[in-house]
């Protein structure tokens, strides 16, 4: 316990408090010896990052309790059914492999804030396989994970605004029971407009003509 506290930069008293609150899992015991490992250290660093971002210990404890209560993954993530997004279970090592050294406490905290990640016991759940694959691809192309997460937060703001626009439109002119059936139409409009917007942004700029 002393070694873990020193590695995490906290006191043994604070570590005991976290343990009593259920913020970290129990150690592996061999007789009277309690063994802590890298997963415990990663959890402590994540707690520290969440505290720095303004989360309270009560909030972190409630989050941990909810995620480790054995509820269905879709219930934990509050995903509607049906949904096109497939949650992915990962070990901490598998998550690190996806992002090649970019899984820092700060990035973990940002991903938790966005709801991209939740914890379930010793596993991590990513809310969407598609978002996981795209994020990992961008990092492999040299985009820092912190910037990917910042962009994700901005995209969510615009996506929420678009979703509000279309749901208001459909609720005004169609029955509530038709919303899920008509959902693909809204998605197609957004995909087409985004495709054309990218074309406009990526189209080569014509050279300036010189005046005679």
């Amino acid at each position: 316990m002393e070694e873990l506290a020193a590695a995490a930069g906290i006191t043994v008293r604070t570590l005991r408090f976290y343990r009593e609150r259920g913020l970290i899992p129990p150690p592996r015991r061999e007789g009277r010896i309690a063994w802590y490992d890298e997963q415990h250290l990663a959890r402590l660093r994540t707690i520290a990052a969440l505290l720095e971002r303004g989360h309270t210990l009560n909030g972190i404890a409630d989050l941990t309790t909810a995620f480790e209560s054995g509820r269905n993954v879709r219930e934990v993530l509050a995903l509607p059914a049906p949904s096109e997004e497939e949650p992915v279970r990962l070990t901490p090592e598998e998550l690190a492999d996806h992002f090649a050294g970019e899984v820092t406490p700060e990035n973990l905290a940002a991903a938790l804030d966005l709801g991209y990640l939740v914890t379930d016991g010793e596993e991590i759940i990513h809310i969407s396989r598609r978002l996981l694959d795209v994020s990992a691809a961008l990092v492999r192309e040299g985009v820092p994970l912190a910037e990917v997460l910042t962009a994700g937060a901005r995209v969510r703001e615009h996506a929420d605004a678009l979703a509000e626009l279309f749901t208001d439109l459909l609720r005004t002119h169609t029955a509530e029971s038709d919303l899920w059936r008509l959902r693909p139409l809204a998605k197609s409009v957004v995909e087409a407009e985004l495709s054309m917007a990218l074309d406009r942004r990526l189209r080569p700029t014509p050279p300036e003509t010189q005046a005679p």
Side-chain angles (χ1 to χ4, degrees):
M1 183 173 283
E2 291 177 355
E3 292 174 357
L4 178 63
I10 60 176
T11 66
V12 173
R13 181 178 180 181
T14 298
L15 179 56
R16 286 199 179 99
F17 176 71
Y18 288 171
R19 178 69 191 91
E20 291 168 359
R21 293 290 302 274
L23 293 172
I24 63 172
R28 177 174 58 85
R29 292 192 173 274
E30 292 182 3
R32 299 181 63 182
I33 301 176
W35 294 98
Y36 294 91
D37 56 25
E38 290 297 323
Q39 292 185 1
H40 292 93
L41 182 58
R43 177 70 67 87
L44 289 172
R45 287 173 174 166
T46 300
I47 291 171
L50 288 171
L51 289 172
E52 288 180 3
R53 295 175 70 89
H55 293 265
T56 65
L57 281 177
N58 285 338
I60 297 171
D62 291 343
L63 193 67
T64 302
T65 299
F67 293 155
E68 296 182 351
S69 64
R71 288 185 291 168
N72 178 271
V73 171
R74 188 167 297 281
E75 180 186 353
V76 170
L77 297 176
L79 288 175
S83 173
E84 296 180 6
E85 302 312 313
E86 175 190 359
V88 185
R89 284 184 175 271
L90 303 160
T91 64
E93 294 77 14
E94 289 170 338
L95 182 66
D97 287 343
H98 273 81
F99 296 105
E102 298 250 2
V103 182
T104 63
E106 293 77 15
N107 285 339
L108 279 174
L112 287 166
D113 278 350
L114 276 170
Y116 283 179
L117 297 180
V118 297
T119 59
D120 185 14
E122 295 185 354
E123 287 188 310
I124 297 168
I125 302 169
H126 196 290
I127 193 173
S128 165
R129 182 177 295 279
R130 290 196 293 182
L131 286 175
L132 174 64
D133 291 344
V134 170
S135 299
L138 288 170
V139 170
R140 287 195 299 270
E141 293 293 333
V143 182
L145 180 56
E147 297 297 325
V148 172
L149 293 170
T150 298
R154 293 185 61 192
V155 169
R156 176 167 296 178
E157 292 177 3
H158 294 295
D160 283 341
L162 289 168
E164 182 179 11
L165 185 157
F166 277 104
T167 52
D168 288 349
L169 177 68
L170 294 176
R171 283 194 170 103
T172 300
H173 299 284
T174 67
E176 188 77 20
S177 58
D178 289 333
L179 291 181
W180 277 99
R181 180 175 62 82
L182 298 175
R183 178 178 180 270
L185 300 180
K187 179 181 171 185
S188 294
V189 171
V190 173
E191 288 179 344
E193 286 290 351
L194 178 58
S195 177
M196 291 187 291
L198 286 170
D199 290 343
R200 292 191 293 271
R201 290 278 183 173
L202 299 176
R203 185 178 298 124
T205 304
E208 293 183 3
T209 57
Q210 295 184 353

Coordinates of all heavy atoms in Angstrom, one line a residue, residues 4 19 33-34 37 65 76-77 101-103 112 130 136 139 155 172 183 196:
L4 N 2.3 1.8 -3.5 CA 1.2 2.3 -4.4 C 0.9 3.7 -4.2 O 0.8 4.5 -5.1 CB 0.0 1.4 -4.3 CG -1.2 1.9 -5.2 CD1 -0.9 1.7 -6.6 CD2 -2.5 1.1 -4.8
R19 N -9.9 3.3 -0.9 CA -10.3 1.9 -0.8 C -11.6 1.7 -0.1 O -12.4 0.9 -0.5 CB -9.1 1.1 -0.2 CG -9.3 -0.4 0.0 CD -9.3 -1.1 -1.3 NE -9.8 -2.5 -1.1 CZ -11.1 -2.8 -1.2 NH1 -12.0 -1.9 -1.5 NH2 -11.4 -4.1 -1.1
I33 N -0.2 -10.8 2.8 CA 0.4 -9.8 1.8 C -0.7 -9.3 0.8 O -1.4 -10.2 0.3 CB 1.6 -10.4 1.1 CG1 2.7 -10.8 2.1 CG2 2.1 -9.3 0.1 CD1 3.9 -11.5 1.4
A34 N -0.8 -8.0 0.7 CA -1.8 -7.5 -0.3 C -1.0 -6.9 -1.5 O -0.1 -6.1 -1.3 CB -2.6 -6.4 0.3
D37 N -1.4 -3.6 -8.3 CA -0.7 -3.7 -9.6 C -0.9 -2.4 -10.4 O -1.4 -1.4 -9.9 CB -1.1 -4.9 -10.4 CG -2.7 -5.0 -10.6 OD1 -3.3 -3.9 -10.6 OD2 -3.2 -6.1 -10.8
T65 N -19.7 2.8 -8.6 CA -20.7 1.9 -8.2 C -21.7 1.5 -9.3 O -22.0 0.3 -9.4 CB -21.5 2.5 -7.0 OG1 -20.6 2.8 -5.9 CG2 -22.6 1.5 -6.5
V76 N -26.0 0.6 -18.6 CA -24.9 1.4 -18.0 C -24.7 2.6 -18.9 O -24.5 3.7 -18.5 CB -23.6 0.6 -17.9 CG1 -22.5 1.5 -17.5 CG2 -23.9 -0.5 -16.8
L77 N -24.6 2.4 -20.2 CA -24.3 3.5 -21.2 C -25.5 4.3 -21.5 O -25.4 5.3 -22.2 CB -23.7 2.9 -22.4 CG -22.4 2.1 -22.3 CD1 -22.0 1.5 -23.6 CD2 -21.3 3.0 -21.8
G101 N 0.5 4.7 -26.5 CA 1.2 5.7 -25.6 C 0.4 6.9 -25.3 O 0.9 7.8 -24.5
E102 N -0.8 7.1 -25.9 CA -1.6 8.3 -25.7 C -2.6 8.2 -24.6 O -3.4 9.2 -24.4 CB -2.2 8.7 -27.0 CG -1.2 9.0 -28.1 CD -1.2 10.5 -28.5 OE1 -1.9 11.3 -27.8 OE2 -0.4 10.8 -29.4
V103 N -2.7 7.1 -24.0 CA -3.7 6.9 -22.9 C -3.2 7.4 -21.6 O -2.7 6.7 -20.8 CB -4.2 5.4 -22.8 CG1 -5.3 5.2 -21.8 CG2 -4.6 4.9 -24.2
L112 N -13.9 9.9 -20.4 CA -15.0 9.6 -19.4 C -16.0 10.8 -19.4 O -17.2 10.6 -19.4 CB -14.4 9.4 -18.0 CG -13.7 8.1 -17.8 CD1 -12.9 8.2 -16.5 CD2 -14.7 6.9 -17.7
R130 N -17.4 2.1 -33.9 CA -17.0 3.0 -35.0 C -16.2 4.2 -34.5 O -15.2 4.6 -35.1 CB -18.3 3.5 -35.7 CG -19.0 2.5 -36.5 CD -20.0 3.1 -37.4 NE -21.1 3.7 -36.7 CZ -22.1 4.3 -37.4 NH1 -22.1 4.3 -38.7 NH2 -23.1 4.8 -36.7
A136 N -8.7 5.7 -33.2 CA -7.4 5.0 -33.3 C -6.8 5.3 -34.6 O -5.5 5.5 -34.7 CB -7.6 3.5 -33.1
V139 N -5.2 8.8 -34.6 CA -4.0 8.8 -33.8 C -2.8 8.2 -34.6 O -1.7 8.6 -34.5 CB -4.2 8.1 -32.4 CG1 -2.9 7.9 -31.7 CG2 -5.1 8.9 -31.5
V155 N -17.8 18.1 -32.3 CA -18.7 17.4 -33.2 C -20.0 17.1 -32.5 O -21.1 17.2 -33.1 CB -18.1 16.2 -33.7 CG1 -19.1 15.3 -34.5 CG2 -16.9 16.5 -34.7
T172 N -43.3 17.9 -35.6 CA -44.2 18.9 -36.1 C -45.1 18.3 -37.2 O -46.3 18.7 -37.2 CB -43.5 20.2 -36.6 OG1 -42.8 20.7 -35.5 CG2 -44.5 21.2 -37.1
R183 N -35.9 8.1 -38.8 CA -34.5 8.5 -38.4 C -33.5 8.4 -39.5 O -32.6 9.2 -39.7 CB -34.1 7.6 -37.2 CG -32.7 7.8 -36.7 CD -32.6 6.9 -35.5 NE -31.3 7.0 -34.8 CZ -30.2 6.2 -35.2 NH1 -30.3 5.4 -36.2 NH2 -29.0 6.4 -34.5
M196 N -20.6 16.9 -49.1 CA -20.4 18.1 -50.0 C -19.6 19.2 -49.4 O -18.8 19.9 -50.0 CB -21.8 18.6 -50.4 CG -22.6 17.7 -51.3 SD -24.1 18.4 -52.0 CE -25.1 18.5 -50.5

